[in-house]
C-alpha cells in the first residue's frame, strides 16, 4: 500500500486549506484512513479518521472546523480544514490501515497504521 499526501501550505488565521490523501494498493475493501499531525516539540496526535463506509471521527480540537470525506471522482480522501488557527500549525501525515475495525481517532494509535505518507506542512500565521 502506498500513501501520498498533497495540499498544505501557509495561510493566515481564519483561512482554509485542503489536504488530500491517495492510498493505492490492496486497500480497495475495508480500510481505516487517518490524519495525524505533529507540531515542533510536540508528540504526534490523531486528527481524524474515515473508514471504507465513510464514517468519520475527529479530535475535539478540530470538530466543526475540519471535514474528512471521500472524493470518489479523484479516488482521494480529503481533509478540508476551515477556520484555521495558529495551533493547527504542524506536519500532517496520512496513514492507512487495511482493517476497518474500530476506526475511531479516540481509540486508534499510530502503531495501528502500517502505511504512512511523507507528510505535508501546514502553517497558520496569526
Amino acid at each position: 500500500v502506498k500513501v501520498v499526501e498533497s495540499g498544505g501550505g501557509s495561510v493566515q488565521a481564519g483561512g482554509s486549506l485542503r489536504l488530500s490523501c491517495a492510498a493505492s494498493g490492496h486497500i480497495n475493501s475495508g480500510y481505516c484512513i487517518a490524519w495525524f499531525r505533529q507540531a515542533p516539540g510536540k508528540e504526534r496526535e490523531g486528527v481524524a479518521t474515515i473508514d471504507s463506509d465513510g464514517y468519520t471521527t475527529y479530535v475535539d480540537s478540530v470538530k466543526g472546523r475540519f471535514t474528512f470525506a471521500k472524493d470518489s471522482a479523484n479516488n482521494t480522501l480529503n481533509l478540508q480544514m476551515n477556520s484555521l488557527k495558529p495551533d493547527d500549525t504542524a506536519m500532517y501525515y496520512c496513514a492507512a490501515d487495511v482493517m476497518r475495525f474500530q476506526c475511531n481517532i479516540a481509540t486508534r494509535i499510530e502503531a495501528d497504521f502500517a502505511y504512512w505518507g511523507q507528510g505535508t506542512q501546514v502553517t497558520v500565521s496569526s
Side-chain angles (χ1 to χ4, degrees), residues 27 30-33 95-101 108 112-115:
I27 201 162
Y31 59 77
C32 176
I33 306 293
D97 180 11
V98 296
M99 299 294 290
R100 181 175 63 88
F101 182 67
R108 287 295 196 108
D112 292 336
F113 297 90
Y115 309 100

Side-chain angles (χ1 to χ4, degrees), residues 81-98:
M81 306 185 296
N82 298 328
S83 302
L84 282 162
K85 304 174 181 180
D87 284 349
D88 295 318
T89 296
M91 184 70 78
Y92 283 70
Y93 299 89
C94 183
D97 180 11
V98 296

